[in-house]
Amino acid sequence: MATTTRRSICGSNDDRALITDNKSARHLPEGCTAWSFGDTNLMFLSAGHCSPSTGDVLQFNVPLSAPGGTLVNPPPQDQYVVEATSIQLVNNTIGDDWSYYGVSPNSTTGLTPFQAYGVRHTLNPIPPAVAGQTIRITGFGVTSAPVSDTWNQVEKTHTGAYTQRIGTTLKYAVDTTGGNSGSCVFNQTDGTAIGIHTNAGCSS
């Protein structure tokens, strides 16, 4: 992710809107985003540089942050511990920065995220060529003024143009900030996931 909020906002305003979409989760303590997809074990994808590890937690139905931006945790039934033995990751460069892992059933409900929420992305393993598609990025990015501190690292979404595909690197003009790392690159035009968001810089 870009190191400052402003560089990664596409235009003069941060146009992200609040959303609750349980295909995505807040990944703590790293402060990233992860998302589920329909492989055999309904695992999660995120950025490799988010470095999922033992003791990490995925949080769903995340409440607004406190005034001042301090994070507020959801109730225990919406928190899942990363299964450390499942973690696979690569963190080389843009276009080769990914992680793949599962979580243990919830300690309160005994359910997996898919059993609890019933939603996941459909992965398109071959991203399409650019042809006027709209990209949506949903995740748990940080905020800065004039956006409310209560929106800090809670789930927000924005759409923009799909602009370029070069090998395994995708480019698009969508508002994101630190904390969006790992978000699903969602092709809203055909309803499939086509990549993992790892870096930003609309004005860089």
Side-chain angles (χ1 to χ4, degrees):
M1 284 301 305
T3 55
T4 63
T5 299
R6 182 53 44 200
R7 286 181 57 204
S8 60
I9 297 300
C10 301
S12 57
N13 299 311
D14 183 343
D15 294 314
R16 293 173 294 175
L18 292 175
I19 190 173
T20 298
D21 181 353
N22 285 326
K23 292 187 289 294
S24 297
R26 184 167 68 186
H27 182 142
L28 295 179
E30 288 80 0
C32 287
T33 299
W35 49 280
S36 63
F37 72 109
D39 72 335
T40 301
N41 296 310
L42 297 165
M43 302 279 269
F44 288 84
L45 291 170
S46 188
H49 72 256
C50 290
S51 300
S53 60
T54 301
D56 286 2
V57 175
L58 294 189
Q59 298 184 332
F60 297 83
N61 293 319
V62 171
L64 290 176
S65 295
T70 301
L71 305 190
V72 177
N73 293 321
Q77 62 265 27
D78 288 316
Q79 301 190 54
Y80 298 80
V81 177
V82 171
E83 172 50 57
T85 61
S86 69
I87 297 169
Q88 301 174 51
L89 65 87
V90 170
N91 179 16
N92 286 330
T93 186
I94 294 174
D96 192 18
D97 178 359
W98 56 268
S99 60
Y100 169 84
Y101 53 90
V103 296
S104 299
N106 182 268
S107 59
T108 299
T109 66
L111 302 176
T112 66
F114 185 73
Q115 289 170 332
Y117 311 119
V119 293
R120 80 287 185 274
H121 282 291
T122 298
L123 183 66
N124 182 345
I126 304 175
V130 175
Q133 301 97 321
T134 297
I135 297 297
R136 179 177 294 277
I137 304 292
T138 298
F140 295 83
V142 299
T143 58
S144 61
V147 177
S148 171
D149 287 340
T150 63
W151 288 30
N152 180 50
Q153 290 190 262
V154 302
E155 196 170 23
K156 299 174 289 296
T157 193
H158 188 236
T159 60
Y162 181 27
T163 61
Q164 194 173 50
R165 184 191 72 183
I166 305 173
T168 59
T169 299
L170 309 178
K171 296 187 178 184
Y172 35 85
V174 182
D175 289 351
T176 61
T177 55
N180 272 112
S181 286
S183 293
C184 175
V185 180
F186 181 70
N187 179 3
Q188 188 155 293
T189 303
D190 71 5
T192 63
I194 62 171
I196 298 169
H197 180 76
T198 63
N199 292 74
C202 278
S203 59
S204 68

